Amino acid sequence: MKCRKCGGTAVLELRRHNAAFCAPDFMEFFRRQVGEAVRRHRMFTREESVLVAVSGGKDSLALWDVLLQEGYSTTGLYLDLGIFDYSKESRAKCEAFAAEHGVPLLIVSVEQEVGAGIPEVQAATRRPTCSACGLSKRYLMNKAALEHGFPVVATGHNLDDEAATLFGSILHWQTEPLARQSPALPSTHPKLVRRVKPLYRLSERETAAYAFLRRIDYIVEECPFAKGATSLMHKEILNRLEDVSPGAKHNFLFGFLEKGRPAFERLVEVALNECARCGQVTTGTLCGFCKLADQVKRAR
Ligand code: Q46
Ligand code: ZN
């Protein structure tokens, strides 16, 4: 197998691009894909400070690494979810990465903000764990960005994550998530910062290869609550499709973004208010996070 660019020995074959690359040319390809995502969706400029949400996993640390290499001004944000040893280890990976690169890392603890870590929140609210966790993460990312003056939060979602989310939303024809699914969500309210996903053009296999080649020390174990999650099943189904038809995932997601999403956007119109208690954006009177915190308080 030869590298498409230099003709040297390739280390990675990318069937959906009908190409193979040696290590340096693959990393160049990876950086270019991130650059293309940032430019195409006007995610952020070189003058802006970007808050990068990091979980200690390969995707978010690879994202932080690329943005640093490309000279963007970044700060990491680690949300401590209080999920047993998984949170301790993932936090240590983020702290080590920040120290190694001499970059700032903000740490926000869910326990301090909600009154309990995610496992107790789940027990108190009887909501599916990932739903309580996802709600808390979105809220705390936006809050941290507002408090520290960041106009934009970047997350490490990759092509596989995005295609699996799309697949799940389509299975149930969830119009609101379909209207919102985008590599770059603009700020539609002064208290809502932009949310962007610069890795959406790169597959999980590619971010893993990048992290490996860059010798990034990340947490390999998954969150214990990820086991049996439907999103993993959707990923598996899409991987089987990809095996027999390279490029299927890419076409599925990119086709939707180009042709499907605009139609859903027109269907959904939401009026945004400020939460009566915390002042963050909500569609009701009290935001979902404040309701969650109330439930936790009552259960204690
Ligand atoms: S951290 Fe939270 Fe994930 Fe764990 S509880 Fe579910 S949503 S699986 S990315
Ligand atoms: Zn609130």
Side-chain angles (χ1 to χ4, degrees), residues 21 24-36 59 62-63 66 198-199 202-203 205-211:
F21 291 109
D25 285 323
F26 169 69
M27 288 195 279
E28 173 65 19
F29 160 84
F30 194 92
R31 285 191 291 266
R32 272 174 196 267
Q33 290 295 326
V34 174
E36 174 72 14
D59 302 298
L63 170 62
V66 178
L199 298 186
L202 291 150
S203 72
R205 187 170 156 263
E206 287 152 21
T207 58
Y210 178 86

Side-chain angles (χ1 to χ4, degrees), residues 139 275 277-280 286-287 289-290:
Y139 178 93
C275 169
R277 185 173 314 151
C278 72
Q280 286 233 50
L286 211 58
C287 77
F289 186 81
C290 285

Side-chain angles (χ1 to χ4, degrees), residues 113-247:
E113 298 280 338
V114 199
I118 291 298
E120 296 91 70
V121 171
Q122 191 278 329
T125 61
R126 302 224 183 99
R127 270 175 94 119
T129 316
C130 292
S131 132
C133 181
L135 171 97
S136 306
K137 286 200 277 195
R138 283 190 298 278
Y139 178 93
L140 294 172
M141 276 181 214
N142 190 64
K143 184 168 178 249
L146 284 176
E147 283 176 0
H148 295 272
F150 293 94
V152 56
V153 176
T155 58
H157 293 94
N158 60 38
L159 174 61
D160 296 53
D161 298 323
E162 291 301 281
T165 302
L166 174 61
F167 189 69
S169 302
I170 286 182
L171 279 182
H172 303 285
W173 292 109
Q174 293 165 318
T175 40
E176 270 189 41
L178 286 167
R180 270 201 316 267
Q181 171 143 15
S182 168
L185 285 173
S187 164
T188 49
H189 185 282
K191 287 200 170 172
L192 213 51
V193 303
R194 280 176 352 249
R195 267 193 291 148
V196 298
K197 300 166 184 167
L199 298 186
Y200 84 99
R201 306 175 67 84
L202 291 150
S203 72
E204 199 158 312
R205 187 170 156 263
E206 287 152 21
T207 58
Y210 178 86
F212 174 78
L213 293 170
R214 290 280 302 151
R215 297 177 201 275
I216 295 173
D217 184 18
Y218 62 86
I219 181 164
V220 178
E221 294 84 60
E222 293 257 15
C223 165
F225 294 111
K227 270 192 211 96
T230 42
S231 60
L232 286 188
M233 195 173 65
H234 295 158
K235 277 188 180 175
E236 244 177 73
I237 294 168
L238 291 169
N239 280 342
R240 270 196 248 163
L241 256 178
E242 183 76 20
D243 263 354
V244 289
S245 170

Side-chain angles (χ1 to χ4, degrees), residues 57-71:
K58 62 181 183 327
D59 302 298
S60 55
L61 289 181
L63 170 62
W64 201 5
D65 184 86
V66 178
L67 296 181
L68 286 171
Q69 283 210 15
E70 294 296 300

Side-chain angles (χ1 to χ4, degrees), residues 67-84:
L67 296 181
L68 286 171
Q69 283 210 15
E70 294 296 300
Y72 286 103
S73 155
T74 59
T75 292
L77 169 67
Y78 176 75
L79 297 176
D80 188 338
L81 305 169
I83 303 179
F84 322 119

